[in-house]
Amino acid sequence: MSKISFDLISIFPDYFSPLKLSLIGKAQESDLISIAIHDLRDQAEGVHKSVDDTPYGGGAGMVMSPEPWGKAIDSVLENSEATEHDLIILTPAGEKLTQKIAEELSTREHLIFACGRYEGIDYRVTEYYQSAPGVRVRELSIGDYVLGGGEVATLVTMEAIIRLIPGVLGNPDSLVEESHSLPDEVVEYPNFTKPATWRGLPVPEVLLSGNHALIKSWREEQARIRTAKLHGELDGRTR
Ligand code: ADE
């Protein structure tokens, strides 16, 4: 599989410094992925390099102007060797990020993350690229809460995607176990490591038994209990 390239566009490029750490840092070093960060303000005009304006129709806050966004995205597309591009626009109004979406995006060639701030990006940017050839637009939200902008949501989404790319995780077995749990809406069983007793709390005895069949069924049971509890809480929540 060829390497996936990521282009991130934001007015706060420094938000992305954690990408040199840990799993994602290593994935770049081993050339499994490449990440380029672009400052939206480089595409802004005038002395103030303004990237936003008041909303048509009135209302509070500012809206990000389409012109710098159009220029930034066009420039990323022009400089890409990929034939297909996914433009991901982070917004609380987007489709909720799931493991399934992360899996789907981990198989793509080129991902562009557009990080809006304020009251979001002029909607014509979404509309324009929806009909651009070779571009798939996806508006994504990481949850039902409002962040200051799309940067943290981009970090979350990228981590969910990148760890699924073959070769990124040291031990791919952990992905196999997850794939048995998450998509079926069953959460994982609880895990324990040494010491066998910590602050008077022993590890469940079955895990020390060496009986793999017994351990497997205990873990399945624990996963079911956790899932039932979680769903019970979710069902009891008022929306
Ligand atoms: N921008 C602001 N809030 C967000 C959220 N919850 N998800 C994605 N992008 C956002």
Side-chain angles (χ1 to χ4, degrees):
M1 208 175 87
S2 61
K3 89 173 172 190
I4 307 186
S5 47
F6 293 81
D7 280 288
L8 322 183
I9 310 169
S10 160
I11 54 167
F12 293 118
D14 291 348
Y15 249 107
F16 301 114
S17 41
L19 293 175
K20 38 178 204 293
L21 305 174
S22 183
L23 206 92
I24 300 180
K26 287 205 193 87
Q28 289 176 88
E29 281 164 26
S30 17
D31 232 20
L32 291 166
I33 58 166
S34 68
I35 302 176
I37 297 161
H38 311 273
D39 190 342
L40 181 73
R41 243 179 250 284
D42 292 345
Q43 307 296 341
E45 305 279 340
V47 272
H48 298 297
K49 295 257 171 201
S50 166
V51 291
D52 59 349
D53 213 326
T54 52
Y56 274 119
M62 300 292 270
V63 176
M64 293 191 106
S65 314
E67 191 55 20
W69 276 108
K71 285 184 179 165
I73 297 167
D74 283 352
S75 153
V76 158
L77 290 171
E78 282 159 18
N79 287 304
S80 169
E81 286 168 10
T83 48
E84 290 204 330
H85 318 270
D86 284 72
L87 172 61
I88 298 162
I89 301 177
L90 287 311
T91 160
E95 182 184 3
K96 199 86 56 71
L97 175 68
T98 60
Q99 189 67 14
K100 190 161 171 280
I101 293 175
E103 275 165 18
E104 199 183 313
L105 294 174
S106 74
T107 66
R108 300 287 211 255
E109 230 182 315
H110 180 209
L111 303 178
I112 306 164
F113 286 82
C115 306
R117 288 247 136 202
Y118 319 117
E119 300 304 312
I121 303 170
D122 187 306
Y123 193 64
R124 286 168 295 181
V125 173
T126 303
E127 290 176 329
Y128 179 85
Y129 289 101
Q130 270 168 348
S131 48
V135 181
R136 248 181 311 229
V137 180
R138 190 145 207 171
E139 291 185 308
L140 283 186
S141 162
I142 61 160
D144 290 337
Y145 38 79
V146 181
L147 301 167
E151 286 77 8
V152 172
T154 290
L155 290 173
V156 169
T157 308
M158 285 180 71
E159 185 155 316
I161 294 170
I162 291 170
R163 62 190 292 285
L164 299 174
I165 297 172
V168 168
L169 277 194
N171 179 4
D173 287 351
S174 46
L175 288 184
V176 176
E177 295 210 352
E178 274 172 16
S179 72
H180 287 312
S181 53
L182 287 169
D184 300 325
E185 296 186 34
V186 177
V187 296
E188 224 190 336
Y189 50 81
N191 277 304
F192 304 86
T193 186
K194 293 173 201 68
T197 303
W198 178 74
R199 297 193 179 179
L201 300 169
V203 164
E205 222 173 294
V206 57
L207 298 178
L208 309 175
S209 69
N211 183 334
H212 295 297
L214 210 60
I215 291 173
K216 187 167 176 280
S217 63
W218 180 85
R219 284 179 165 167
E220 282 166 3
E221 174 65 9
Q222 291 295 314
R224 268 196 299 276
I225 293 170
R226 271 187 154 185
T227 306
K229 198 168 159 237
L230 183 71
H231 285 187
E233 279 163 16
L234 293 178
D235 294 344
R237 193 171 69 182
T238 46
R239 287 176 195 259

